Amino acid sequence: MKRLFIIGNGFDLHHGMKTSYWNFRDYLLETETEILRTMEMFNMFQEDLWSNFELNLANIDVQLMFDYYSDSLVSYADDNWSDRYHHEFQYIIEQDTWYMSYGLISQFVKWICSIDLPTKMSKGIAKCFVEFKDSHYLNFNYTPTLQSLYGIDDEKVLHIHNRVVHERSEIFLGHAVGKPESNLDYGDVRTDEAYDSIRQYYATTHKSTAFAIKKNESFFNSPDKYNEIIIMGHSLSDVDLPYIQQITTNLCHENTRWYVSYYSEGEIASHRRSLEKCSISGNKVSFFRLCDL
């Protein structure tokens, strides 16, 4: 019997690792307060930012940002005009969008490097892993928990968003929005140039699932079919559903069973909805809790 394990951040959290996005916020509070200030000031869903972090990276409040720095948009006819006003507004917007994109991703990688790996495995999870040797692992985490704690061979683990090995590691992190919507029309070259920085921000923080699937087409187009798909600690958020859809289409047969973990009872309904979006019928799905293994 062939099994595919899909591993999400809930797996690391279950092992006591401090890998929640709120933990990342705490890290920024100690290391890069300017990035944290900018993120929390200009996100449209400030109260929900860290609970739906990747999704909300696409929700920059551009109007608020432009209004906040409008004092730098000094009229060309102003008596106190200075040549620095040609570029000041664009520079500020460029700086803030850099904080929220390149700066944020760099700090995220450093944060992952700082997280202690667990030393105590779960006997129930270990039993699942060894029960069938012909298993593979689609890992959405950047950490090597599977390899370091459970001794899973690297060749059996696909880190779909890459693995953090050192502070210069490149990762996939972000939202699924291609380009920002723009209804801002000030008729000013300075705002036009500033909006170029907004577009660059969206490009930098865009997680292209299509690119990741293409890059790993040998996995997603494998002729092998799995009898069981076991999801451990994955939120099944919309940004990652294209991967699940590819698995449903290419790696399953009509009798494939899905076993999906949940943390709280309320997640079951949302998980069902996500799986239905990928054409996985409810009679093929069973739910379990990691703590019950």
Side-chain angles (χ1 to χ4, degrees):
M1 179 179 289
K2 293 179 68 65
R3 278 180 170 178
L4 173 65
F5 289 91
I6 298 176
I7 307 297
N9 190 41
F11 182 85
D12 281 354
L13 291 170
H14 176 71
H15 288 84
M17 299 176 68
K18 296 184 181 300
T19 56
S20 73
Y21 289 130
W22 194 262
N23 292 139
F24 179 46
R25 183 193 185 279
D26 290 339
Y27 178 83
L28 290 177
L29 190 61
E30 294 181 0
T31 61
E32 286 290 344
T33 56
E34 195 61 26
I35 292 176
L36 180 61
R37 178 199 69 82
T38 308
M39 286 295 302
E40 295 191 337
M41 179 178 293
F42 296 123
N43 196 278
M44 288 187 290
F45 299 97
Q46 296 171 13
E47 294 181 358
D48 194 37
L49 172 59
W50 300 104
S51 59
N52 290 285
F53 176 64
E54 285 191 280
L55 176 67
N56 283 330
L57 288 177
N59 293 320
I60 297 302
D61 194 330
V62 180
Q63 184 68 65
L64 175 62
M65 182 179 287
F66 277 34
D67 289 346
Y68 187 80
Y69 294 121
S70 61
D71 287 349
S72 295
L73 285 172
V74 178
S75 169
Y76 289 104
D78 194 282
D79 291 339
N80 296 316
W81 172 264
S82 170
D83 285 345
R84 69 185 175 89
Y85 293 134
H86 279 300
H87 309 289
E88 184 175 74
F89 180 75
Q90 305 96 299
Y91 172 77
I92 295 172
I93 299 297
E94 180 183 23
Q95 185 178 52
D96 275 4
T97 52
W98 185 93
Y99 282 141
M100 296 187 294
S101 54
Y102 294 105
L104 181 79
I105 294 171
S106 175
Q107 288 302 311
F108 192 93
V109 172
K110 291 179 180 179
W111 167 61
I112 295 294
C113 288
S114 74
I115 296 172
D116 293 329
L117 291 172
T119 57
K120 183 179 180 180
M121 68 173 65
S122 162
K123 291 182 179 180
I125 291 175
K127 182 180 179 181
C128 287
F129 289 165
V130 301
E131 189 174 1
F132 294 96
K133 294 184 179 180
D134 196 12
S135 297
H136 292 88
Y137 302 80
L138 178 62
N139 196 347
F140 284 81
N141 299 338
Y142 307 102
T143 57
T145 312
L146 286 173
Q147 297 93 324
S148 66
L149 188 61
Y150 290 97
I152 306 299
D153 292 338
D154 273 332
E155 62 208 34
K156 291 188 174 183
V157 182
L158 172 59
H159 286 268
I160 189 65
H161 294 150
N162 293 346
R163 172 180 163 182
V164 169
V165 178
H166 49 68
E167 291 188 354
R168 296 180 302 281
S169 296
E170 295 185 2
I171 62 171
F172 287 92
L173 174 74
H175 54 80
V177 176
K179 294 180 180 179
E181 295 183 5
S182 174
N183 57 1
L184 302 174
D185 184 15
Y186 293 101
D188 190 319
V189 66
R190 294 171 294 178
T191 56
D192 292 340
E193 291 178 358
Y195 207 78
D196 286 340
S197 295
I198 300 293
R199 293 190 184 94
Q200 181 60 50
Y201 163 82
Y202 271 82
T204 304
T205 56
H206 176 239
K207 182 167 67 178
S208 174
T209 54
F211 177 81
I213 291 170
K214 178 68 175 176
K215 178 184 176 183
N216 297 286
E217 61 182 350
S218 60
F219 169 81
F220 287 105
N221 293 326
S222 170
D224 294 332
K225 306 296 182 184
Y226 292 99
N227 303 97
E228 294 182 349
I229 311 290
I230 302 176
I231 300 178
M232 291 185 168
H234 197 286
S235 64
L236 296 176
S237 61
D238 285 349
V239 69
D240 290 328
L241 290 188
Y243 302 119
I244 305 300
Q245 183 63 67
Q246 283 289 314
I247 291 169
T248 305
T249 303
N250 298 334
L251 302 179
C252 295
H253 53 69
E254 61 180 12
N255 295 319
T256 297
R257 292 289 307 175
W258 292 74
Y259 299 90
V260 182
S261 75
Y262 67 94
Y263 182 73
S264 63
E265 293 287 340
E267 286 184 332
I268 294 178
S270 64
H271 285 348
R272 284 193 186 278
R273 288 192 295 269
S274 295
L275 294 170
E276 287 171 357
K277 291 178 182 178
C278 300
S279 304
I280 302 168
S281 60
N283 60 1
K284 295 181 179 180
V285 181
S286 300
F287 293 93
F288 69 97
R289 296 189 300 172
L290 289 176
C291 61
D292 290 335
L293 294 179

